[in-house]
Amino acid sequence: MPTMPDPNPSTTVPDRYDAQVIEKKWFERWAGDDTLYQAESNSSKKKYYVLEMLPYPSGVLHMGHVRNYAIGDVLARYMWMNGYNVLHPMGWDAFGLPAENAAIKNNTPPRDWTLANIANMKAQFKRLGFAFDWQREVTTCLPEYYRWNQWFFLKMYERGLVYRKNSRVNWCPECATVLANEQVVGGCCWRHETTPVFQKELEQWFVRTTSYSDELLRDLDKLGGWPEKVRTMQRNWIGRSEGAVVDFKLEDLTPGRPAGPAGGTITVFTTRVDTIYGATSVQLAPQHPIVGDMTSADSALKAKVDQLIAEQRSAREAGDIGAIEKHGVPTGRFAINPFNGERVPVWVANYILMDYGTGAIMSVPAHDERDHEFAKKYGLEIRQVIRPSAESGSTGVDSQKIDVEDVSFTTLDGVLENSGLFSGLTCNDALARMAAHAEKNGFGKPTVTYRLRDWGISRQRYWGTPIPMLYCEKDGIVPVPEQDLPVILPENVDITLTGGSPLSRVPEFLNTTCPKCGGPARRETDTMDTFVDSSWYFYRYTDAKNDKAPFDSAVANYWFPIDQYIGGVEHAILHLIYSRFWTKFMRDIGLVKNDEPVERLFSQGMVIKDGAKMSKNLGNIVSPDEMVARFGADAARMYSLFAAPPDRDMDWQETGVEGVQRFLGRAYRYVMRNAQPQHADWRKPVPDDLSPEARALQRKLHQTIKRVSDDFQGRWHFNTCVAAIMELMNAMYAAEGKRDDKGEDKAVAAKIPIAFLADAQRKVVLLLAPFAPYLAHELWEVLGEQGNLLRAPWPKYDAALAKEDEVEIAVQINGKVRSRIVVPVDSPEEYVKDVALADEKVRAAIAGKQVVQIRVIPGRLVNIVVK
Ligand SMILES: [Zn+2]
Ligand SMILES: [Zn+2]
């Protein structure tokens, strides 16, 4: 076999590290063993459920995937080695729009495209050596999975948790079809770049997620194992605000003129009803039904409102609705403030959102920053009704003289004025009293509002779970009976045609019989949002082949909650809110016992290249296949853990992968040279009376085991773990330098006993096992080990052996010994100084004095001069 030059000139190279040959050998062995990564049933071991978010089968894995799955895999292997019963499954989030787009582009049925992609990505996963239990594979686009989506839908329907209501969708008049938000590009259709997309009202199915708003919010406090950032994002998303609703009656234009279909009452939501005497206008969302009434007879107003809607939509597309430049239009109408009977103008504004609160606010420019900005812009009256309380620092200032510009907009630390019979109350008192007053007089009440909305799950698309509902002329909406599930998604549907839901063009799907009356009925042709699929998939892994139920409760109760869930922070809101909701629903119908699905959550950073996110446009995509072909799977995975702490973004650098590959080569050559499983001493216990050289190496070995183990338990800085193993390998090479190449390791044997050499190599291979499984398995065999490395016990460190040798040093102050400190031998001077100055007796002796000089005489003395 050819040899490669070795960086260490004092040794020869017995063999070359050929990752491809080694990895092929083990790949083939592993391929033949389905039980390798299987979780045990009825195990007496402690369980550990580690899960990475399932990928969308786009066709190929990218480096971000490799990193995500490398983190989970290293953890799964570590927990197996620590004696846990580990569940580490994988599956496919296989429904969704890209399959339909690909179908339209390449004329391939979505199912074929998806299944081919899955086959390809599964092969990539296997080549990378990820330890997934493929017996439990879940593919969400197959009927054996999605039938349970339908089953859950029916269970929710029975309990009033799904309902139908009118809702807006994006509509392309050219396509005559509904567009997903991603298909709206700059306000136009993705296929018709100059055709503006309209909003159209359609009846759609909703899941009542809001019935769990309070619990979803409250239980965030239980999720101590989640990143604070994610909990905050969820808290904001649920967006609970306490406040009041107050009815402002629309003033009739001509007395007695009836209101429009939306009625004559504008209900505003406010968190600051105490400022209502300062309300100088009412602001409506452009989509507010009353605005619809006003514009139906006023085309000039309609044009202006349409403009506001367009502005709102582009701000939403830009992703920052909060930063919208505020615009409004007066409607010319007035509404009556029920507290003081005052007429206030009614405006329509682009920053008022129909999906928050009631879609209407009272504008109080003196005490709300946003209202203030708006009032300044349009010249609306600014009227102060709160003055800072005497205690709040503005003592003695006559309220009349306060410039409203100086009033803190949001303070609750004030006293009401110009507020009728409520003047003189503190804000906090007024909030409660004024809400009660509104309730008593029938024009409002205290309320709690949430930003969280019910979940619209209808999609007018083909590639999704059919919604199991029927429409009968006689019986109306009829659920598909449970025993008739699954409602199979038909194949061979031409989805390139435009005009409505693709399923509505499949007569054999559409037309059916009503289970109630036996008459003709038609099926719901919408499919479910793919977030339904991912809301409960991790339960299915526990019992993936069950055809009687979504899963067996007892089995799920053993595995849940998930001990560690790993995925991108882009899923911090929707996926994790929906799956938390789903768990609470499953608990309430008696399927599971846990309140929350995930005990600990980890969000890894992104993989970037040359400072930018990898993308086709930038041409900076690194292909995992290419990395594996050039450097091996072990090097690619290990580098993705080594390059940065897993929660940070990592910049992919090829020289870094090369470096990791070189290190693996060093480890390989070391073991190839030093493995002597036939030696008589090979399995003997490590002797106690080691030479100083051997003792130093032993200390390093145990320190490394401690460091790696601690990191797995704590902060997960796998980059420093890998660096520590590299340092250990350097120390082993340095000790090997004393070897006599001609004789059969006589010199090594003299300084480092074979029993210890064997022990050290076994432990290094065990440390490498989670990070570089192919190489570790190869070396395990070279060391003469027979057992399954995946279940070999993780090495234990001996705290006494890991401890540095220590020395006692006297501390002199102005020539007198005042204390003695204990520090590791060869401690750096700065460290010894710090320890000396932190010593209690020393601190007492120098208290109040000035340290003029500190000198360290290594191993002997610290001399401090004070005056
Ligand atoms: Zn179109
Ligand atoms: Zn019927």
Side-chain angles (χ1 to χ4, degrees):
M1 215 174 248
T3 56
M4 261 172 66
D6 191 279
N8 188 340
S10 72
T11 59
T12 56
V13 183
D15 217 341
R16 187 175 78 95
Y17 167 56
D18 189 333
Q20 301 303 331
V21 170
I22 293 169
E23 293 184 3
K24 181 167 185 289
K25 167 181 157 185
W26 288 95
F27 177 85
E28 282 166 5
R29 280 207 206 169
W30 295 339
D33 188 354
D34 283 344
T35 65
L36 208 54
Y37 309 125
Q38 231 171 37
E40 297 164 26
S41 36
N42 305 317
S43 174
S44 57
K45 296 173 181 169
K46 261 186 98 178
K47 68 95 181 177
Y48 192 80
Y49 187 176
V50 52
L51 183 66
E52 301 98 67
M53 291 179 186
L54 82 179
Y56 179 78
S58 57
V60 284
L61 292 176
H62 53 68
M63 281 326 302
H65 286 129
V66 173
R67 189 184 195 198
N68 185 184
Y69 300 117
I71 295 168
D73 201 64
V74 87
L75 194 63
R77 289 172 183 275
Y78 173 80
M79 296 309 283
W80 264 311
M81 294 176 78
N82 276 277
Y84 284 78
N85 183 22
V86 176
L87 176 57
H88 188 218
M90 191 38 64
W92 311 97
D93 192 10
F95 272 138
L97 200 57
E100 288 192 46
N101 293 347
I104 292 167
K105 217 172 131 191
N106 312 322
N107 203 22
T108 319
R111 183 187 157 97
D112 297 355
W113 183 83
T114 305
L115 295 182
N117 287 349
I118 288 176
N120 188 43
M121 291 168 78
K122 194 168 168 181
Q124 286 185 298
F125 270 140
K126 289 188 170 177
R127 177 64 188 86
L128 282 157
F130 291 132
F132 296 129
D133 184 352
W134 288 110
Q135 310 278 317
R136 298 166 181 272
E137 181 176 6
V138 164
T139 305
T140 60
C141 67
L142 299 179
E144 53 263 38
Y145 183 78
Y146 70 66
R147 68 174 294 178
W148 302 112
N149 287 344
Q150 296 171 339
W151 183 86
F152 279 120
F153 183 97
L154 295 177
K155 293 287 165 204
M156 289 184 185
Y157 183 74
E158 277 169 29
R159 283 159 183 79
L161 283 171
V162 290
Y163 65 97
R164 233 165 122 71
K165 76 166 182 193
N166 256 325
S167 175
R168 281 188 178 70
V169 292
N170 303 307
W171 182 263
C172 171
E174 279 302 307
C175 297
T177 196
V178 171
L179 302 180
N181 284 336
E182 307 89 287
Q183 294 174 314
V184 181
V185 181
C188 290
C189 171
W190 66 304
R191 282 200 275 180
H192 303 99
E193 288 170 20
T194 54
T195 307
V197 170
F198 288 85
Q199 303 274 301
K200 190 174 160 173
E201 294 258 328
L202 269 189
E203 283 252 300
Q204 307 209 58
W205 288 101
F206 282 80
V207 171
R208 219 179 284 279
T209 38
T210 54
S211 61
Y212 287 90
S213 297
D214 253 332
E215 201 192 337
L216 287 168
L217 184 69
R218 204 171 56 234
D219 283 356
L220 286 173
D221 294 338
K222 292 184 189 168
L223 302 178
W226 286 37
E228 190 48 50
K229 178 170 82 171
V230 172
R231 292 200 287 167
T232 302
M233 284 163 88
Q234 292 223 344
R235 213 169 270 128
N236 292 340
W237 188 258
I238 297 166
R240 182 181 195 275
S241 337
E242 274 183 37
V245 285
V246 180
D247 294 337
F248 283 61
K249 288 269 184 249
L250 200 58
E251 188 190 55
D252 287 348
L253 210 50
T254 45
R257 194 190 84 156
T265 302
I266 299 173
T267 302
V268 306
F269 171 75
T270 175
T271 58
R272 291 299 302 271
V273 69
D274 57 314
T275 65
I276 199 165
Y277 283 79
T280 56
S281 68
V282 163
Q283 308 275 344
L284 302 179
Q287 300 86 353
H288 197 285
I290 285 181
V291 177
D293 289 353
M294 291 175 178
T295 55
S296 66
D298 184 344
S299 59
L301 182 61
K302 182 170 191 317
K304 290 179 191 161
V305 169
D306 284 346
Q307 176 60 28
L308 298 177
I309 290 174
E311 288 166 8
Q312 206 174 74
R313 193 171 52 218
S314 26
R316 266 193 215 271
E317 278 171 20
D320 193 2
I321 190 83
I324 192 169
E325 193 185 337
K326 295 170 190 60
H327 287 140
V329 288
T331 63
R333 304 286 296 271
F334 290 80
I336 308 300
N337 182 340
F339 273 83
N340 56 9
E342 195 176 13
R343 294 169 82 229
V344 293
V346 177
W347 284 63
V348 186
N350 65 0
Y351 69 96
I352 309 297
L353 304 179
M354 196 57 216
D355 52 14
Y356 180 73
T358 57
I361 64 150
M362 61 178 205
S363 180
V364 185
H367 303 293
D368 180 278
E369 205 166 343
R370 199 176 58 167
D371 295 350
H372 189 260
E373 188 188 325
F374 192 87
K376 281 281 205 187
K377 184 166 184 167
Y378 292 104
L380 297 170
E381 187 195 342
I382 300 172
R383 185 194 305 157
Q384 190 186 330
V385 292
I386 309 280
R387 80 182 130 79
S389 70
E391 302 85 59
S392 73
S394 303
T395 318
V397 180
D398 184 339
S399 65
Q400 298 301 315
K401 289 181 190 158
I402 294 175
D403 181 352
V404 290
E405 307 274 343
D406 294 337
V407 174
S408 167
F409 288 114
T410 51
T411 183
L412 268 171
D413 182 20
V415 176
L416 272 63
E417 60 180 13
N418 304 324
S419 296
L421 58 117
F422 302 100
S423 293
L425 289 178
T426 66
C427 292
N428 272 319
D429 287 346
L431 282 173
R433 289 224 212 155
M434 292 170 84
H437 174 80
E439 188 163 27
K440 193 172 144 212
N441 290 281
F443 56 73
K445 61 178 180 192
T447 190
V448 173
T449 188
Y450 294 89
R451 195 174 162 265
L452 185 70
R453 302 282 91 186
D454 282 341
W455 174 14
I457 60 158
S458 294
R459 296 291 178 275
Q460 294 71 37
R461 316 228 62 89
Y462 165 67
W463 193 232
T465 303
I467 293 175
M469 297 303 252
L470 305 172
Y471 302 93
C472 167
E473 264 182 40
K474 195 161 145 271
D475 300 304
I477 295 174
V478 181
V480 172
E482 214 176 292
Q483 67 271 17
D484 293 350
L485 297 183
V487 177
I488 297 276
L489 184 67
E491 288 180 45
N492 304 318
V493 176
D494 186 352
I495 58 170
T496 60
L497 298 174
T498 55
S501 273
L503 290 179
S504 66
R505 296 190 301 266
V506 184
E508 58 277 24
F509 176 83
L510 183 65
N511 300 315
T512 183
T513 314
C514 171
K516 267 194 182 165
C517 69
R522 78 192 156 75
R523 286 188 191 280
E524 169 66 65
T525 56
D526 286 352
T527 55
M528 295 184 197
D529 180 4
T530 57
F531 275 109
V532 169
D533 309 333
S534 54
S535 288
W536 68 279
Y537 78 102
F538 32 50
Y539 289 92
R540 182 70 179 171
Y541 285 139
T542 65
D543 193 17
K545 298 200 170 83
N546 196 328
D547 61 358
K548 303 284 184 293
F551 51 84
D552 182 86
S553 286
V555 175
N557 286 336
Y558 169 76
W559 287 110
F560 269 81
I562 294 167
D563 295 276
Q564 183 68 61
Y565 196 28
I566 302 164
V569 76
E570 66 274 18
H571 299 295
I573 297 178
L574 295 181
H575 164 54
L576 289 169
I577 291 246
Y578 294 147
S579 51
R580 292 180 61 220
F581 161 80
W582 213 276
T583 290
K584 291 174 191 304
F585 168 69
M586 293 197 301
R587 178 203 58 199
D588 289 351
I589 61 170
L591 263 183
V592 300
K593 285 193 173 139
N594 47 304
D595 294 322
E596 288 286 337
V598 175
E599 183 81 20
R600 294 178 60 83
L601 175 71
F602 185 85
S603 296
Q604 80 278 6
M606 277 195 313
V607 178
I608 57 178
K609 179 92 200 303
D610 311 322
K613 198 175 169 177
M614 288 187 193
S615 79
K616 273 188 193 152
N617 291 342
L618 291 172
N620 63 349
I621 289 185
V622 177
S623 136
D625 285 350
E626 192 202 327
M627 288 296 123
V628 169
R630 287 175 58 197
F631 303 107
D634 279 343
R637 312 167 36 137
M638 197 165 182
Y639 173 66
S640 78
L641 296 170
F642 172 63
D647 54 339
R648 309 257 184 85
D649 290 350
M650 71 168 279
D651 199 345
W652 189 273
Q653 296 191 349
E654 221 165 276
T655 52
V657 197
E658 283 167 14
V660 169
Q661 195 204 28
R662 266 200 307 278
F663 160 68
L664 294 174
R666 266 164 82 70
Y668 174 76
R669 286 191 302 276
Y670 184 91
V671 174
M672 292 309 285
R673 271 202 301 267
N674 292 290
Q676 303 167 66
Q678 310 308 329
H679 196 289
D681 288 352
W682 188 250
R683 292 182 184 280
K684 287 201 174 146
V686 178
D688 289 334
D689 54 342
L690 292 177
S691 65
E693 288 89 345
R695 171 70 190 105
L697 194 56
Q698 189 184 40
R699 182 185 305 124
K700 184 87 186 164
L701 175 66
H702 283 265
Q703 286 173 344
T704 307
I705 298 169
K706 180 177 191 312
R707 207 160 142 191
V708 177
S709 310
D710 286 354
D711 239 323
F712 267 109
Q713 303 297 338
R715 53 187 197 146
W716 279 16
H717 281 185
F718 299 126
N719 54 327
T720 60
C721 290
V722 173
I725 302 171
M726 288 175 173
E727 278 174 34
L728 172 62
M729 188 47 64
N730 288 343
M732 290 171 78
Y733 263 89
E736 198 199 18
K738 296 166 182 88
R739 173 192 157 104
D740 170 6
D741 271 310
K742 295 196 186 75
E744 192 199 326
D745 52 53
K746 281 175 202 145
V748 177
K751 304 250 183 204
I752 299 180
I754 289 290
F756 171 61
L757 195 65
D759 177 65
Q761 291 182 83
R762 278 192 290 267
K763 290 193 159 92
V764 168
V765 170
L766 290 169
L767 289 178
L768 281 174
F771 297 96
Y774 285 108
L775 177 62
H777 276 78
E778 176 70 12
L779 297 181
W780 197 235
E781 203 175 68
V782 170
L783 292 174
E785 296 298 324
Q786 308 287 326
N788 179 2
L789 177 58
L790 197 67
R791 302 292 196 282
W794 183 252
K796 299 257 175 299
Y797 66 87
D798 181 326
L801 295 181
K803 207 172 152 192
E804 292 285 354
D805 287 341
E806 289 176 328
V807 60
E808 195 183 82
I809 300 181
V811 184
Q812 280 189 355
I813 297 172
N814 290 351
K816 268 191 176 166
V817 174
R818 296 289 187 168
S819 187
R820 292 180 185 279
I821 58 171
V822 176
V823 292
V825 171
D826 302 329
S827 294
E829 267 189 35
E830 285 309 310
Y831 176 77
V832 178
K833 282 183 191 173
D834 288 348
V835 173
L837 289 173
D839 180 80
E840 222 169 279
K841 286 181 196 158
V842 173
R843 272 166 50 194
I846 65 176
K849 296 181 179 129
Q850 194 193 342
V851 176
V852 183
Q853 194 192 47
I854 310 180
R855 275 183 56 216
V856 176
I857 301 165
R860 285 183 49 211
L861 185 70
V862 181
N863 197 357
I864 302 175
V865 180
V866 294
K867 63 173 188 185

